[in-house]
Amino acid sequence: QKHVDSLTSHDEEQEAVQVSQVSNEMTSTRAYPGNGIYARRMQRRNAPLLALKFILHHQESILYFVFALCLTFGCLLDRSQNNGFYMADAVRGRLMATAWPDILELTELWNFLEVDFIQFVYKSYFPGSDNSTIMGYNYLLNGVRLRQIRVSPSVCSGPSWVNSLVPGQTSLLFCYPKYTHENEDRQSFGFLGGGPWFTYSKGDERASWKGELGQYGGDGFVLDLPTVNISEAKLRIGRHKTRGWLDLQSRALFIDFSLYNPESSLLLRARLLIEFSQFGGLIKSQDFSVYQLQKYGGRDGSIALTLDIFFLVIAVFYLAVELIALVQMKGRYFLVRSSGFLNILIAFICFAIIAIRLESQNQIDSKLYAVKSAPEEEPTLLVDLQNLPYLKQQDDNLVAILFIVIYARLFAYVGDIPG
């Protein structure tokens, strides 16, 4: 019994010592290997080293993430898209308030040109506004251009007995076909009272435009209207109407003008298109394209410029890395670094976007310079921006492709990061 009591007392003493040690560890602030305080302190001390190790191990992924952010925020800071939408919507709404939606035949078209369109262009409804403004705030840049495209008539190839069924028809019937580049009529016409009054004019060969009934070039028979002289504009339209400028051979009538909004530094290019169907009737369409004259102006523009430059620098860096790898690895490059093609593609898309934007800005600057340097006796020189919608569409398409390629590559990088 004494032996059992001795063992029990010894066990109780050992248990008391262990409880005392645990209690001391819990209350002590001293850190040494094995206790929780030491582990937490070491974790905080190693956190920067672990973060640095992670950055070095995934530096390419992080750089690519910054790369994608520069593109995203650079596009989001482009406020001209929003302002351009509201400007185009305002001009379109004013046009829809005229007789434009109700034009169905040639007589109604002439009435629209002589009355509603003249009022739309040359009459501002805002007291105190300039005579050369549309809707008070948008300045008309050097006139309006009307351009007609015609087709050559041909002898119809129908059965001869049809002629006898047509009242008053003793000869072969003439057809006025659908417009194609091959059957376009470029001959001068309008010999009534002298003439010829209307001659063919060459335009921008790249300024192709697709309508509902055909693809049209930039050439045609041109009627230019002045900037502010409403009496002269009415006189020219009336004279062309009297001399039969639009007839059975007409297939398309383009009405082009450009507006400048100084508050937003936006240039709006407006185009109205009336197509003449070979079955009769008129088909109307309109397009309003807005361009930012000072893309990098103001605070947001400066930030967008910085992001675009940073984005371009990274793109050039990736291109250089891939080209060096291609030279060093030669044939093995296509097996080992096949994903590097995306980086090369991104760089070339960036270069293409830069080239398109430089060309667009060069066209705008050259046209505006031509207007400023035009002699006083030629006040109707049009700011002809027919090719800009095509360039803008290509720019938008390339930016969309760039977004897809960059984020596809970014998601591939994210998938390679272990959990």
Side-chain angles (χ1 to χ4, degrees), residues 83-96 120 134-135 138 268 288:
N83 294 333
F85 168 80
Y86 289 117
M87 181 181 180
D89 188 62
V91 177
R92 183 185 296 107
R94 176 66 186 88
L95 177 66
M96 291 298 106
F120 171 73
I134 292 181
M135 303 172 63
N138 308 304
L268 181 142
F288 300 93

Side-chain angles (χ1 to χ4, degrees), residues 365-419:
D365 292 341
S366 62
K367 295 296 182 182
L368 295 181
Y369 177 78
V371 169
K372 293 178 182 179
S373 60
E376 295 183 0
E377 60 270 15
E378 191 184 3
T380 61
L381 182 64
L382 179 78
V383 182
D384 187 2
L385 302 174
Q386 296 184 61
N387 196 43
L388 284 183
Y390 171 77
L391 294 175
K392 186 174 185 296
Q393 181 181 11
Q394 300 307 311
D395 187 308
D396 293 340
N397 292 340
L398 287 175
V399 170
I401 295 174
L402 191 60
F403 262 99
I404 294 174
V405 174
I406 285 181
Y407 275 93
R409 190 75 180 93
L410 178 62
F411 291 148
Y413 275 127
V414 173
D416 293 339
I417 299 177

Side-chain angles (χ1 to χ4, degrees), residues 63-114:
L63 182 61
Y64 217 91
F65 180 72
V66 176
F67 186 48
L69 284 182
C70 290
L71 175 65
T72 303
F73 285 110
C75 292
L76 291 178
L77 287 172
D78 187 6
R79 301 181 62 87
S80 64
Q81 299 292 337
N82 294 332
N83 294 333
F85 168 80
Y86 289 117
M87 181 181 180
D89 188 62
V91 177
R92 183 185 296 107
R94 176 66 186 88
L95 177 66
M96 291 298 106
T98 67
W100 169 257
D102 302 323
I103 298 175
L104 298 176
E105 57 184 24
L106 186 57
T107 303
E108 296 172 344
L109 174 58
W110 279 118
N111 290 338
F112 167 76
L113 293 175
E114 291 181 306

Side-chain angles (χ1 to χ4, degrees), residues 309-324:
I309 292 176
F310 190 66
F311 177 85
L312 181 61
V313 169
I314 298 177
V316 173
F317 167 76
Y318 277 124
L319 177 62
V321 169
E322 297 302 329
L323 292 179
I324 293 174

Side-chain angles (χ1 to χ4, degrees), residues 167-380:
Q169 185 68 37
T170 57
S171 61
L172 296 176
L173 296 176
F174 280 92
C175 293
Y176 299 89
K178 179 181 178 180
Y179 170 80
T180 62
H181 182 72
E182 289 73 22
N183 62 25
E184 182 178 358
D185 186 10
R186 300 175 176 83
Q187 298 297 321
S188 300
F189 70 102
F191 294 91
L192 182 63
W197 300 112
F198 313 124
T199 56
Y200 192 77
S201 300
K202 295 291 291 182
D204 191 342
E205 296 180 355
R206 300 172 299 173
S208 179
W209 189 267
K210 182 173 178 58
E212 296 289 336
L213 302 180
Q215 185 89 15
Y216 308 99
D219 308 330
F221 297 86
V222 171
L223 165 60
D224 281 336
L225 304 179
T227 305
V228 296
N229 193 335
I230 185 173
S231 300
E232 178 65 20
K234 288 182 176 180
L235 178 62
R236 294 183 187 183
I237 291 177
R239 189 162 50 205
H240 277 62
K241 177 183 177 182
T242 303
R243 293 171 177 172
W245 191 54
L246 299 174
D247 56 17
L248 290 173
Q249 293 179 239
S250 303
R251 280 296 171 264
L253 175 64
F254 291 90
I255 305 175
D256 296 318
F257 58 92
S258 299
L259 303 178
Y260 173 64
N261 185 276
E263 192 279 329
S264 300
S265 190
L266 293 177
L267 181 67
L268 181 142
R269 177 198 171 281
R271 162 161 287 179
L272 310 180
L273 172 60
I274 301 97
E275 296 177 274
F276 298 72
S277 170
Q278 70 269 31
F279 306 109
L282 306 178
I283 298 176
K284 308 178 300 298
S285 59
Q286 65 274 339
D287 179 77
F288 300 93
S289 302
V290 182
Y291 308 92
Q292 181 72 51
L293 294 186
Q294 296 178 346
K295 180 177 177 61
Y296 298 113
R299 184 192 64 179
D300 290 346
S302 300
I303 297 175
L305 176 61
T306 303
L307 292 174
D308 286 351
I309 292 176
F310 190 66
F311 177 85
L312 181 61
V313 169
I314 298 177
V316 173
F317 167 76
Y318 277 124
L319 177 62
V321 169
E322 297 302 329
L323 292 179
I324 293 174
L326 179 61
V327 172
Q328 293 178 347
M329 301 175 67
K330 298 181 180 179
R332 292 195 309 112
Y333 174 87
F334 301 98
L335 300 176
V336 178
R337 294 182 64 88
S338 58
S339 61
F341 279 116
L342 290 179
N343 295 333
I344 297 177
L345 177 61
I346 289 171
F348 280 102
I349 292 176
C350 291
F351 297 150
I353 292 175
I354 293 173
I356 289 175
R357 292 181 178 178
L358 289 177
E359 174 63 18
S360 300
Q361 192 63 45
N362 177 65
Q363 288 194 26
I364 293 175
D365 292 341
S366 62
K367 295 296 182 182
L368 295 181
Y369 177 78
V371 169
K372 293 178 182 179
S373 60
E376 295 183 0
E377 60 270 15
E378 191 184 3
T380 61

